[in-house]
């Protein structure tokens, strides 16, 4: 009997102890939940701040690239006028061009502008795999298209530079050395200029596509899309 009496208070204390433990568990659980919520809020806030700064940097980059592209396209249009006429000439028309005119147009370095993008923030994002840091899907698609066009432009630039430096320039220098252009030399240079002109036109076409895409991105960023 005395043992039963002694055990009674212990049995009555069990529900109170369970409630206290449950209360402590709830407090701990709420604390963890609040900590996770605060961490998530801070992370989202940091991500939004990062994307705002990224958009500002990208807008400045695309504004600079548009200025560069407009200048490059203008230079290349002038270059096309300088030597792009030659591939269109017939043999009779080619023979009628004076030695002096051919030397003036082709004797110097055949300068043209390939496009070097400013800053390269977008390219860095794409190449590092961090383009996903941009939460805006339409903007990601625009930036991916821009990066793809840059790669295409790079390939054409390399082809054009190699063809000019390794084939065209040595041939023109050899032909123009004595300031006299024979019929065979005229045809040889005309054929080479046809190849160079085609490559350069591809470069310019890529630059125009880059300009159109850059304008699209710029407007999207300016409008807060």
């Amino acid at each position: 009997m005395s043992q039963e009496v002694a055990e009674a208070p212990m049995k009555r204390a069990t529900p109170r102890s369970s409630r206290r433990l449950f209360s402590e568990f709830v407090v701990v659980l709420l604390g963890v939940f609040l900590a996770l919520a605060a961490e998530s809020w801070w992370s989202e806030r940091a991500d939004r701040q990062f994307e705002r700064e990224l958009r500002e940097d990208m807008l400045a980059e695309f504004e600079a690239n548009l200025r560069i592209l407009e200048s490059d396209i203008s230079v290349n249009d002038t270059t096309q006028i300088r030597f792009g006429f030659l591939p269109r000439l017939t043999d009779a028309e080619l023979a009628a061009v004076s030695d002096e005119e051919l030397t003036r147009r082709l004797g110097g370095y055949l300068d043209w502008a390939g496009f070097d993008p400013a800053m390269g923030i977008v390219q860095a994002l794409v190449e590092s795999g961090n383009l996903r840091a941009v939460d805006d899907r339409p903007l990601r698609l625009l930036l991916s298209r821009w990066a793809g066009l840059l790669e295409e432009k790079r390939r054409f630039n390399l082809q054009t530079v190699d063809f000019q430096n390794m084939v065209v320039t040595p041939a023109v220098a050899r032909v123009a050395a004595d300031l006299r252009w024979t019929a065979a030399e005229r045809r040889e240079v005309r054929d080479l200029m046809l190849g160079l002109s085609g490559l350069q036109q591809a470069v310019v076409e890529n630059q125009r596509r880059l300009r159109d895409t850059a304008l699209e991105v710029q407007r999207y960023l300016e409008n807060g899309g």
Side-chain angles (χ1 to χ4, degrees):
M1 181 69 179
S2 59
Q3 184 178 357
E4 293 177 356
V5 172
E7 289 178 354
M10 294 177 63
K11 292 179 181 179
R12 288 195 296 271
T14 299
R16 289 198 299 272
S17 177
S18 298
R19 285 194 296 272
R20 187 178 73 254
L21 290 173
F22 178 74
S23 298
E24 291 175 354
F25 173 75
V26 170
V27 170
V28 171
L29 187 63
L30 285 173
V32 171
F33 174 77
L34 290 173
L36 290 174
E39 183 180 358
S40 176
W41 174 84
W42 183 260
S43 178
E44 289 178 5
R45 181 175 181 273
D47 288 345
R48 288 194 298 270
Q49 176 64 24
F50 173 74
E51 186 156 345
R52 280 196 298 270
E53 294 174 355
L54 188 62
R55 282 170 172 260
E56 291 173 0
D57 291 341
M58 284 192 294
L59 181 57
E61 178 178 317
F62 277 99
E63 289 172 346
N65 281 327
L66 279 168
R67 290 192 295 270
I68 296 171
L69 281 165
E70 291 292 355
S71 175
D72 288 348
I73 291 170
S74 177
V75 168
N76 289 331
D77 285 343
T78 301
T79 302
Q80 279 288 326
I81 294 173
R82 178 183 167 195
F83 66 77
F85 78 102
L86 193 60
R88 298 191 296 269
L89 298 181
T90 65
D91 286 350
E93 292 170 335
L94 184 60
V97 181
S98 68
D99 291 337
E100 292 77 11
E101 179 67 7
L102 287 173
T103 302
R104 184 182 69 82
R105 288 196 180 227
L106 305 176
Y109 183 73
L110 304 176
D111 195 18
W112 54 276
F115 167 62
D116 292 322
M119 299 165 70
I121 294 172
V122 176
Q123 196 70 4
L125 280 175
V126 173
E127 292 177 354
S128 65
N130 289 327
L131 191 58
R132 62 183 180 275
V134 178
D135 188 56
D136 190 328
R137 185 172 182 273
L139 179 56
R140 283 203 310 272
L141 293 175
L142 282 173
L143 297 177
S144 296
R145 192 194 331 158
W146 167 263
L149 286 172
L150 279 179
E151 177 59 24
E152 189 176 348
K153 177 274 309 176
R154 186 185 68 83
R155 291 197 304 270
F156 274 106
N157 271 11
L158 288 175
Q159 291 176 21
T160 307
V161 170
D162 287 346
F163 183 68
Q164 176 177 331
N165 290 342
M166 299 173 65
V167 180
V168 178
T169 299
V172 172
R174 170 176 51 80
V175 169
D178 60 359
L179 304 181
R180 296 181 58 130
W181 297 66
T182 66
E185 290 172 341
R186 290 165 184 254
R187 289 192 297 271
E188 176 190 359
V189 172
R190 180 186 60 186
D191 293 342
L192 290 176
M193 298 310 279
L194 176 62
L196 180 61
S197 180
L199 286 171
Q200 197 215 23
Q201 285 175 1
V203 168
V204 175
E205 179 58 29
N206 278 342
Q207 289 175 345
R208 296 187 194 281
R209 290 163 62 198
L210 280 167
R211 180 187 59 188
D212 293 342
T213 302
L215 274 171
E216 194 173 349
V217 175
Q218 181 193 40
R219 289 167 183 160
Y220 191 89
L221 292 169
E222 287 177 341
N223 293 331

